[in-house]
Amino acid sequence: MLKNIILMGPPGAGKGTQAKRLVTKFDLIHISTGDMFREAIKENTPLGALASSYINKGDLVPDDVTIGIVKERLAKEDCKNGFLLDGFPRTIAQAEALSKIGLEINRPIDVVINIDCDKNELIRRISGRRVCKNCGAPYHVDTMKPKTEGVCDICGGPLYQRKDDNKEALEVRLQHYVNETRPLLEYYEKQGLLKNFDGSQGSDKLFDELSLLILNK
Ligand code: ADP
Ligand code: ZN
């Protein structure tokens, strides 16, 4: 089984949805830098104050900050049986730092999963996205409605729209993806780690494909 995994893809490709299901199925630690920042914002910590000024505009949080929190998280004991990085790395500097950390703690990356999706579909998904305030489960106002409007099916928490899920911030996020994050695909391709998947297909089918990949080696 592949156990140290990076999940990549543009915002809205379905990383978060797949990540939640995969970590449950394979008992991996889910490390989502976006979730970590949103948690810090909710708790009003200094990290949260710093991160929100970037996130709300759609900009990337500075590398040194982001690398610092991931490094700390990856070194924890519970990551020894496998982890799934969701939303990290997003820049070449982050990827290089991650390789170094992997060597230091003897937890190298086994595979990089890239979920791709066309831009119009990304915009459609993100503009209708709602997220549970408690557990982070994702919904969509048209295509993934909860059983009761505004209420999470899983935990009963309230659904809300992320501050960066608006047109302006999304444009900025997509630009950062193209300029800073997409070059990582070539970086990992060269290392023989990259596997590409189609994020526009149904979520269940994609989950089955990803599950096979993780099991098959
Ligand atoms: P999405 O993939 O839908 O854009 P995330 O939850 O992964 O959402 O990230 C939300 C925001 O958090 C990003 O737009 C960025 O501001 C910040 N962020 C998350 N991960 C990173 C990272 N690795 N480096 C810099 N900023 C990050
Ligand atoms: Zn919930």
Side-chain angles (χ1 to χ4, degrees):
M1 189 187 129
L2 303 175
K3 48 176 212 156
N4 299 339
I5 301 165
I6 295 175
L7 201 53
M8 285 190 53
K15 294 186 301 289
T17 305
Q18 296 298 330
K20 286 206 166 63
R21 295 179 67 180
L22 291 170
V23 296
T24 307
K25 177 162 178 178
F26 295 106
D27 202 19
L28 302 167
I29 300 294
H30 185 194
I31 304 178
S32 159
T33 40
D35 284 351
M36 289 161 96
F37 290 136
R38 281 184 289 276
E39 196 61 34
I41 292 169
K42 203 162 76 183
E43 285 169 8
N44 278 316
T45 67
L47 172 68
L50 183 139
S52 68
S53 62
Y54 295 94
I55 294 183
N56 294 343
K57 287 184 287 182
D59 283 324
L60 295 178
V61 177
D63 281 338
D64 55 341
V65 176
T66 309
I67 291 165
I69 64 166
V70 172
K71 183 171 182 179
E72 201 176 295
R73 185 65 191 88
L74 276 179
K76 290 201 174 139
E77 182 66 15
D78 60 357
C79 288
K80 74 171 189 302
N81 296 324
F83 53 81
L84 190 149
L85 283 165
D86 163 10
F88 182 95
R90 262 179 157 91
T91 64
I92 293 281
Q94 291 179 13
E96 287 172 345
L98 177 63
S99 305
K100 215 171 117 209
I101 296 165
L103 286 175
E104 278 166 21
I105 60 176
N106 198 22
R107 288 171 193 169
I109 298 301
D110 295 322
V111 70
V112 177
I113 294 172
N114 175 45
I115 306 178
D116 209 354
C117 189
D118 93 24
K119 190 175 168 185
N120 290 332
E121 175 65 7
L122 298 175
I123 293 171
R124 187 196 70 75
R125 288 181 184 180
I126 293 211
S127 40
R129 173 156 76 178
R130 297 292 181 275
V131 185
C132 172
K133 207 155 203 149
N134 278 345
C135 75
Y139 295 88
H140 189 281
V141 290
D142 298 320
T143 49
M144 240 204 291
K145 292 184 186 174
K147 290 196 187 81
T148 310
E149 199 188 319
V151 181
C152 177
D153 290 345
I154 299 163
C155 77
L159 304 188
Y160 80 113
Q161 181 169 34
R162 272 168 49 175
K163 265 196 187 150
D164 58 344
D165 279 353
N166 61 67
K167 226 171 166 226
E168 295 74 30
L170 177 58
E171 263 314 314
V172 178
R173 284 156 70 197
L174 289 170
Q175 275 309 316
H176 283 299
Y177 175 75
V178 170
N179 296 334
E180 279 131 288
T181 310
R182 210 161 57 190
L184 290 180
L185 299 179
E186 202 189 323
Y187 175 90
Y188 285 121
E189 171 86 81
K190 280 189 185 144
Q191 299 183 18
L193 290 172
L194 188 69
K195 301 280 177 195
N196 288 300
F197 292 86
D198 175 10
S200 60
Q201 62 181 320
S203 168
D204 289 344
K205 186 148 176 290
L206 178 57
F207 180 67
D208 291 342
E209 290 183 9
L210 297 179
S211 297
L212 279 179
L213 170 79
I214 293 173
L215 281 172
N216 262 354
K217 269 196 192 170

